[in-house]
Amino acid sequence: MTAVLPLPPYPQPGEPGAETGFEPLSGEGVDVLAVGIAPGPAAESAQEGTPADAKPVPEPRSGAVEAAVRYGVDVAARADAAGVSGRAGEHLVVEPPRGSAGLPGKLIYLGVGDESHQSLRRAGAALARATFGAQKIRTSVVDGLTPQAQQAFLEGFFLGGYRAPKTGLSDAAKPMAAQMEVTGLNPQALALAEISARAAWLARDLTNTPPDTATPAWMAAQSRSVAQAAGLEFEEWDPKRLAAEGFGGLSAVGSGSANGPRLVRVTYRPAAAGAGSVVLVGKGITFDSGGISLKPRESMPAMKMDMAGSAVVLAAVQAAAELKLPFKVTALLALAENAIGAASYRPGDIVTAWNGTTVEIGNTDAEGRMVLADALAYAAGKLKPDALIDVATLTGAAALGLGKRHAALFGNDPGLLSAFEAAASSSGEPLWQLPLVPDYDYLLDSDTADLAHVAPVGAKAGAGAILGALFLEKFVDSTPWIHLDIAGPMEAAGDSHEYAKGATGFGARLLIAFLRARAARTLAGLDAS
């Protein structure tokens, strides 16, 4: 990631240093200068001398006017010709006049829109993509804004500059800018943006890794490395231990693969114990063929990303350690490859989950809820957290209902649901609450087991995302619980604002925002939920 350095605030007119404060001097090595513009008010046609078809003129932000003078450019005319109005993410590139010495080779007028957090994330992402290969950027775009606004801009910058790892002989793409200097930057805003961005990058890197590499054992090894680097506790269940300790869901789903299943626990403990605990459970299907209930061809390519939930919770527990939260945070990664083999589990099988509940298998392609059933039951029965959150690419129904931008939110605790809606608003990772409908419980009835894990063939009941959540709810006892179905926003088809093509890491920033808010309430002596 780009190294970001703070500079003093941009000097106001008449203040000492106004001649040199923001404008780079010869020898400083700045090759990109970035200043902000925002949409101006609509032109007043009644104003004397104003053409009837006049377009709004972008409004300059700190340093924009002075930069225009130094570059000798009529920004209003250039913006009008290019159709740039200052909307979030728009940018206008200006080169220095011929023969000018000492000016950076590129001046960028960056649209910041209404300077909301969402607009600033988009502006940051646009700046990152416009400056690939640069050595040093200097910018005043967030000078004078709140720390939260500055954090949003920097998060967008870091996330927009991400590119998935690539193998082969082709030339490497230009990297993010090596350095960026930001005037008036709040140090805490930078620290928080870097923590969130590192978490999202980790989740994206893991999720983008090809499935021939990212097996359950490989994911467990990556988790061990993260734990060791962050000083976290680590525990791993291999296939023999899983079978011996009754993790029937994980064992069944992983039975058809040469790459055996794993359960991984990574735990952050604060220096002072006693402030409660949160457990994060991640679905980690490293590749999902559908098993015997084989997926169609067009559904296969994205199934290397069916372990996105496990990558997200691992990234979140790493961030918990960086943030030094006042309560314990545990990530449980339920890892398996759903393949076809001589020992594959079958429709009609009865599988016994960790808590003893028997489940009749109706479709081996509904494997995610089986591995989560084990992990949730273990978390509720053994770890006994104050809050239990699972993150999973669980159902195509969630993507069908909410599209590719929103995650589906379910839960059994009003306070937790409200906390997650607030975290979604502050993090920029949107979700939408769906109901747990008790009237649909009959669809999980089984004649041969305690539960069926899918609706009967031919039921045509719909509500697939709700039914998946209702199944998971059977394994959390009375623990306050949240289920996030991220099947829709797990992947971006192309670069879009702060999301780069490929895995999005959706949920990492959302969990961090939730954990930070919970920590603030804990330290204030309030109800943590």
Side-chain angles (χ1 to χ4, degrees):
M1 284 195 303
T2 299
V4 176
L5 303 173
L7 290 180
Y10 186 82
Q12 298 302 310
E15 289 183 353
E19 295 80 10
T20 61
F22 172 62
E23 292 79 7
L25 302 175
S26 297
E28 288 189 290
V30 177
D31 49 354
V32 178
L33 194 64
V35 293
I37 51 173
E44 295 289 345
S45 58
Q47 185 176 342
E48 184 177 354
T50 301
D53 60 348
K55 298 178 181 178
V57 176
E59 291 188 341
R61 294 297 184 252
S62 294
V65 172
E66 292 82 356
V69 172
R70 293 192 72 193
Y71 278 73
V73 60
D74 184 338
V75 177
R78 289 282 295 271
D80 182 62
V84 171
S85 66
R87 289 190 300 268
E90 290 183 332
H91 60 280
L92 178 69
V93 178
V94 176
E95 293 78 23
R98 182 175 298 178
S100 60
L103 289 179
K106 186 184 289 186
L107 168 63
I108 295 179
Y109 282 87
L110 182 67
V112 296
D114 60 1
E115 293 180 307
S116 65
H117 293 178
Q118 181 187 48
S119 291
L120 289 166
R121 284 190 196 94
R122 293 180 175 186
L127 180 61
R129 294 191 179 106
T131 55
F132 279 127
Q135 289 302 304
K136 184 187 288 189
I137 307 166
R138 182 171 293 177
T139 182
S140 58
V141 168
V142 293
D143 202 321
L145 300 183
T146 65
Q148 293 80 10
Q150 293 185 352
Q151 179 186 341
F153 173 79
L154 291 172
E155 282 180 355
F157 180 83
F158 291 135
L159 297 173
Y162 173 86
R163 288 180 175 177
K166 186 176 181 180
T167 60
L169 302 177
S170 54
D171 293 337
K174 290 182 179 180
M176 287 187 73
Q179 189 178 98
M180 182 166 70
E181 299 173 334
V182 184
T183 65
L185 179 59
N186 179 284
Q188 186 181 25
L190 172 59
L192 292 174
E194 288 178 331
I195 289 172
S196 290
R198 276 196 297 270
W201 275 47
L202 173 61
R204 291 178 182 183
D205 279 347
L206 293 172
T207 308
N208 279 321
T209 301
D212 58 332
T213 297
T215 64
W218 182 88
M219 278 293 294
Q222 300 307 301
S223 302
R224 184 188 295 273
S225 296
V226 168
Q228 290 175 343
L232 306 174
E233 297 176 12
F234 176 85
E235 185 176 12
E236 178 182 351
W237 285 255
D238 64 12
K240 289 184 178 179
R241 184 179 175 191
L242 288 172
E245 296 187 14
F247 290 91
L250 274 159
S251 297
V253 173
S255 62
S257 174
N259 301 301
R262 298 289 192 278
L263 178 67
V264 166
R265 177 185 64 83
V266 179
T267 299
Y268 157 75
R269 293 183 187 273
S277 68
V278 173
V279 172
L280 312 173
V281 175
K283 173 187 170 184
I285 303 300
T286 57
F287 185 78
D288 182 16
S289 70
I292 287 177
S293 305
L294 189 66
K295 288 182 181 293
R297 180 183 64 181
E298 60 270 16
S299 299
M300 290 281 194
M303 287 302 101
K304 70 176 185 178
M305 298 186 183
D306 210 16
M307 39 62 68
S310 64
V312 165
V313 300
L314 178 62
V317 76
Q318 174 188 259
E322 292 187 84
L323 292 165
K324 296 181 171 56
L325 298 179
F327 48 81
K328 183 170 71 171
V329 180
T330 297
L332 287 177
L333 286 68
L335 304 167
E337 181 177 65
N338 190 23
I340 301 175
S344 293
Y345 79 130
R346 297 156 292 254
D349 284 358
I350 305 297
V351 173
T352 303
W354 182 86
N355 66 354
T357 299
T358 57
V359 180
E360 180 184 3
I361 302 302
N363 181 342
T364 63
D365 194 23
E367 81 300 324
R369 65 196 68 185
M370 293 305 301
V371 302
L372 288 175
D374 272 348
L376 288 171
Y378 176 82
K382 195 79 169 180
L383 304 181
K384 301 187 182 303
D386 300 297
L388 177 57
I389 296 108
D390 76 77
V391 185
T393 51
L394 200 72
T395 65
L400 184 64
L402 298 178
K404 305 291 286 184
R405 297 284 184 178
H406 287 70
L409 169 68
F410 299 88
N412 64 2
D413 182 274
L416 274 182
L417 288 166
S418 295
F420 264 85
E421 288 174 333
S425 177
S426 65
S427 68
E429 293 196 314
L431 44 75
W432 195 264
Q433 184 181 344
L434 295 179
L436 290 167
V437 184
D439 287 349
Y440 296 163
D441 267 340
Y442 77 94
L443 293 165
L444 299 176
D445 289 344
S446 170
D447 294 332
T448 55
D450 295 322
L451 286 172
H453 85 316
V454 294
V457 175
K460 299 188 185 302
I466 295 174
L467 195 63
L470 284 171
F471 177 83
L472 296 180
E473 188 184 21
K474 312 302 181 189
F475 297 89
V476 302
D477 294 332
S478 58
T479 308
W481 161 73
I482 289 291
H483 165 54
L484 294 174
D485 192 335
I486 62 169
M490 74 169 181
E491 179 186 20
D495 292 349
S496 177
H497 306 309
E498 67 265 37
Y499 294 119
K501 182 179 181 180
T504 62
F506 187 101
R509 289 183 289 136
L510 173 64
L511 289 179
I512 291 169
F514 164 75
L515 293 171
R516 286 188 60 225
R518 190 178 181 89
R521 293 184 66 83
T522 298
L523 293 173
L526 301 173
D527 177 11
S529 65

